[in-house]
Amino acid sequence: MDKATDESTMRARALYEARATGVPIAPFTDTHPALAAEDGYAVQRELVALLLTDGDRIVGYKAGLTSIPMQEMFDTCTPDYGPVLASTVHASGARLPVSAFIAPKVEAEIVFRLGRPLRGPGVTVEEARAAVREVMAGLEIVDSRIQDWRIRLADTIADLASNGAVVLAEPQPAGPDPDHRLTGMVFTRNGELVATGAGAAALGDPVAVVAWLANTLGAQGVTLEAGHLIMTGALHAAVPMRSGDTFVAEFDRLGTVTLHVDDSDDAGQPPHPEGR
């Protein structure tokens, strides 16, 4: 094992332990500020291997940093990505305990399910659109195993692109020639409006996110499989999640997705079919 691989393995183990204990770790970039995106992905691969060994499985992929303001914040010109794990997927109406996370925030986004495989490079937006079978209103709980969200690009990539959990509404058929750029969304916390958004916030077109993922993963020999979930990125700034909160995102044409947050003894986590 070479030095770089050994360091990636140690960093992945640190994140794995942070996920298990709920105790965050210092940013890797504090001591190694030159760490780049490719270093983060090397750690991510090692971490995913550990989680799959535990019995989890990949049911899709998420893209992050799909808006220009977020890319500017991380001094990058491209999104990042991470796997969606079966253990993290829940159905709308789930009651999730805040204590299951470290520093959770909630984002609303458009989620697709593929009806056919996609393998880049060379996948076009139109090919990606034709591969989408269903579309869903979704909430992502983003969480950081890095202390105080003090993340740079390599840190968040290593940490599964800061993915914590996913809550999905009932799927809707993709329909003929849909323009998801125009899909509007209203986001409330405890009945109060906290954000609005539209599909175009995600890379100009959320279907373009599907094509980007297919091409980026394809260059590494990974295929987006039929049935995979594709999370296309937040349509607004993330909102902190607290015990007692109820989050509701209402999407034009896609319906409503709801998340209840508490730490009561009867807090349940209804699994989405993808998470079973």
Side-chain angles (χ1 to χ4, degrees):
M1 181 180 295
D2 61 32
K3 181 179 179 182
T5 301
D6 188 49
E7 289 177 344
S8 295
T9 301
M10 289 188 295
R11 290 171 182 142
R13 176 60 65 175
L15 285 169
Y16 179 86
E17 294 297 332
R19 292 171 67 90
T21 64
V23 178
I25 61 175
F28 301 130
T29 53
D30 272 4
T31 52
H32 295 84
L35 287 176
E38 55 266 29
D39 300 305
Y41 285 120
V43 177
Q44 183 186 115
R45 288 190 292 271
E46 295 288 339
L47 175 57
V48 170
L50 291 171
L51 297 171
L52 296 184
T53 297
D54 283 347
D56 220 328
R57 59 192 175 91
I58 294 173
V59 295
Y61 289 88
K62 66 155 286 186
L65 310 182
T66 55
S67 69
I68 296 225
M70 288 302 294
Q71 290 177 12
E72 290 175 344
M73 184 182 301
F74 283 87
D75 192 26
T76 183
C77 60
T78 185
D80 68 351
Y81 68 85
V84 176
L85 299 171
S87 64
T88 69
V89 182
H90 307 278
S92 180
R95 304 188 68 89
L96 300 183
V98 71
S99 60
F101 307 94
I102 293 175
K105 303 178 183 182
V106 184
E107 304 172 340
E109 57 191 88
I110 294 169
V111 182
F112 296 121
R113 181 186 286 117
L114 298 183
R116 66 179 74 163
L118 280 176
R119 173 85 174 250
V123 173
T124 67
V125 172
E126 288 312 309
E127 288 170 336
R129 194 183 313 277
V132 170
R133 184 178 79 218
E134 294 173 331
V135 57
M136 289 159 271
L139 296 174
E140 181 181 10
I141 300 173
V142 291
D143 196 18
S144 184
R145 276 60 61 169
I146 306 295
Q147 291 171 351
D148 303 321
W149 280 97
R150 292 190 297 112
I151 51 175
R152 298 183 187 178
L153 184 60
D155 298 307
T156 184
I157 288 172
D159 192 19
L160 305 191
S162 300
N163 179 253
V166 183
V167 180
L168 299 176
E170 287 295 316
Q172 304 297 320
D177 300 320
D179 191 348
H180 296 292
R181 299 175 305 164
L182 306 180
T183 299
M185 183 278 305
V186 174
F187 187 55
T188 61
R189 178 176 60 190
N190 304 327
E192 296 185 1
L193 178 66
V194 290
T196 60
L203 217 59
D205 181 347
V207 179
V209 178
V210 180
W212 178 85
L213 274 168
N215 290 325
T216 301
L217 289 168
Q220 301 172 35
V222 177
T223 299
L224 296 180
E225 302 289 354
H228 267 168
L229 298 171
I230 306 296
M231 303 185 65
T232 60
L235 304 183
H236 60 93
V239 178
M241 175 177 134
R242 304 167 304 201
S243 183
D245 282 339
T246 292
F247 292 96
V248 178
E250 300 170 86
F251 285 77
D252 180 40
R253 296 176 289 176
L254 303 183
T256 298
V257 57
T258 302
L259 164 66
H260 304 286
V261 186
D262 66 28
D263 277 301
S264 64
D265 292 338
D266 59 353
Q269 302 184 30
H272 188 274
E274 297 292 340
R276 291 175 182 159

